[in-house]
Amino acid sequence: MKTPTKFVKELSAEQRGQLLDIYKTDLRWRPRQRAQAILLSARGYTLDQFAALFEVDRDRVSQWLDWWGEYQFDGLDDDSRNGRPPKLDEAEQARAIELVRAEPRSTKHGLQRIAAEIGKVISQDTLRFIRKTGGYVWKRARRSLRLFRDADEFRAAQGELAQLRVAALQPGSDFDMWYFDEAGFTLQPSVPYAWQRVGERLELATAHGPRQNILGFFNLRQCFHSFAFTGTIDTHTCLHRHD
């Protein structure tokens, strides 16, 4: 009869911290999965619960716990195996990453470009592994106006704003400085996910459409005003709402 209760020994605070760091940051999915299993086992999760959570056989999870008991952190890694060589060598993998960067939101297009230029057909799982080992993660892209602005003018404006902040905070100054921002609900689809290098964020050109807007005004003396309305946000709208 299978024993439903098999757990790792109590973890030290240092072990928990290291396991949590591996689970959150390691680029390899197997060590991440096994680190999570050890942490959950220490919290009382059973083998049957593991099998359902990770969609693997309970004996596989039992082996993970045995490896931890015998090898500790070395047990989270796979032993080296003499398997078949990778379909793409190091140079081809580097080129494959360059090709898929042209359209980071579409794995299908990336596979087609790799097959056309490198001359080798690889699977989505292989491409996913190449991206992860190359330092890329699948995360939400960001809409931004950065692509439309002039860098020199932007830095000059930052300097002017710094001077205005100083002037607004002078005792007895009749000059006030307000910050303004808006948010809204729109029919535009949500910002998509894409493969992006760790520490970087893909920015997409923003677009406009019918929306329910919310305006917010905030000055350096902690005074705040907000307004909700529909329609275009322009200079007339801001001055009228703020007055």
Side-chain angles (χ1 to χ4, degrees):
M1 181 177 178
K2 295 181 179 180
T3 304
T5 53
K6 180 178 182 179
F7 310 103
V8 298
K9 294 182 180 180
E10 184 176 355
L11 302 175
S12 67
E14 182 179 0
Q15 287 175 323
R16 289 180 184 275
Q18 288 183 260
L19 287 168
L20 188 61
D21 185 62
I22 292 172
Y23 169 60
K24 288 184 175 181
T25 64
D26 201 298
L27 297 178
R28 300 161 300 168
W29 68 270
R30 285 191 177 93
R32 290 202 312 272
Q33 187 181 57
R34 292 166 188 170
Q36 183 186 22
I38 302 305
L39 289 168
L40 293 177
S41 177
R43 293 172 53 186
Y45 277 61
T46 66
L47 296 181
D48 289 331
Q49 289 175 314
F50 280 131
L53 178 63
F54 296 121
E55 298 183 349
V56 298
D57 187 90
R58 69 193 306 276
D59 292 335
R60 176 67 60 83
V61 184
S62 177
Q63 187 179 49
W64 296 347
L65 303 187
D66 290 338
W67 287 347
W68 170 259
E70 185 173 357
Y71 304 109
Q72 296 292 291
F73 290 95
D74 290 338
L76 301 180
D77 293 312
D78 286 326
D79 293 331
S80 59
R81 298 181 176 86
N82 295 321
R84 62 184 181 182
K87 288 189 175 182
L88 304 183
D89 59 30
E90 291 187 6
E92 290 172 335
Q93 290 183 24
R95 181 55 183 159
I97 290 179
E98 292 180 6
L99 292 174
V100 298
R101 278 175 63 91
E103 183 48 73
R105 291 177 289 169
S106 175
T107 298
K108 180 179 178 181
H109 289 168
L111 292 172
Q112 291 173 345
R113 291 170 63 89
I114 292 170
E117 180 169 325
I118 301 178
K120 294 182 179 180
V121 178
I122 61 175
S123 67
Q124 292 189 18
D125 289 338
T126 299
L127 180 56
R128 184 182 300 110
F129 175 78
I130 291 173
R131 281 166 158 167
K132 286 187 175 181
T133 55
Y136 287 79
V137 293
W138 181 253
K139 64 179 181 180
R140 188 183 295 275
R142 178 181 181 181
R143 297 198 179 277
S144 172
L145 295 172
R146 189 192 305 268
L147 300 176
F148 302 104
R149 75 189 184 197
D150 181 274
D152 293 334
E153 291 182 356
F154 181 74
R155 285 192 293 269
Q158 285 182 312
E160 292 178 8
L161 286 173
Q163 296 177 4
L164 292 174
R165 282 194 294 269
V166 173
L169 292 175
Q170 291 294 329
S173 173
D174 58 356
F175 168 73
D176 200 0
M177 183 175 181
W178 289 82
Y179 290 89
F180 156 71
D181 199 2
E182 62 88 17
F185 304 94
T186 177
L187 296 178
Q188 184 178 349
S190 61
V191 180
Y193 282 74
W195 284 99
Q196 304 166 64
R197 186 179 293 277
V198 174
E200 296 181 357
R201 184 184 292 276
L202 175 65
E203 295 185 347
L204 307 176
T206 188
H208 299 282
R211 57 193 289 132
Q212 170 69 50
N213 294 306
I214 300 174
L215 303 183
F217 297 88
F218 187 78
N219 72 1
L220 298 177
R221 295 180 175 80
Q222 314 300 314
C223 183
F224 174 73
H225 299 288
S226 62
F227 307 91
F229 71 102
T230 58
T232 303
I233 298 177
D234 53 22
T235 302
H236 173 76
T237 302
C238 296
L239 293 177
H240 175 71
R241 295 291 175 176
H242 193 194
D243 291 341

